[in-house]
Amino acid sequence: MRRGSRGTPAGEPGSVLADETEGYLLAHAHRDQAQREAEELCAGMPWLTTAQTGELTAHYVRRRLDVTRQLMLGTVRRAAELRQEYENRYAQLRRALLRRHAAGACAVLACAAGVGAVAGVLIR
């Protein structure tokens, strides 16, 4: 189970609410940044009318948010792929460690049985 940065296990109500709130705030921060960039762009074009400035700003913000959304979705997909790869590797390592421990335990038992047999022969 994944633990959030707030120490709450993922999937719990507190974690879900915090994640949604964080996403909401992040989305608004991106939108505000895009709005500022669009206004700076339009400020460099003094010949635009007010309607043109509004239209260009709205178009720029929409496109910027689309690009940001695509980047974030790509990041989420890659994170899921990496999580699966790491989980698979972790499972492989656990199986290998279990096999090694089982082999070691068998070797210790075999040695103990051998020592016991030798001791039994020597005692007679």
Side-chain angles (χ1 to χ4, degrees), residues 46-61:
W47 59 87
L48 294 176
T49 65
T50 304
Q52 290 172 330
T53 299
E55 189 177 318
L56 181 60
T57 300
H59 178 72
Y60 181 89
V61 169

Side-chain angles (χ1 to χ4, degrees), residues 66-116:
D66 288 343
V67 168
T68 301
R69 184 177 297 110
Q70 292 304 315
L71 288 172
M72 287 186 172
L73 290 174
T75 301
V76 167
R77 275 192 298 275
R78 183 62 182 144
E81 291 171 4
L82 286 174
R83 175 180 290 265
Q84 189 60 46
E85 289 175 22
Y86 282 117
E87 287 176 355
N88 291 342
R89 181 64 179 146
Y90 180 73
Q92 289 174 349
L93 292 172
R94 284 186 64 184
R95 283 191 299 272
L97 184 62
L98 179 61
R99 281 193 303 271
R100 289 181 184 141
H101 277 80
C106 288
V108 167
L109 288 174
C111 288
V115 168

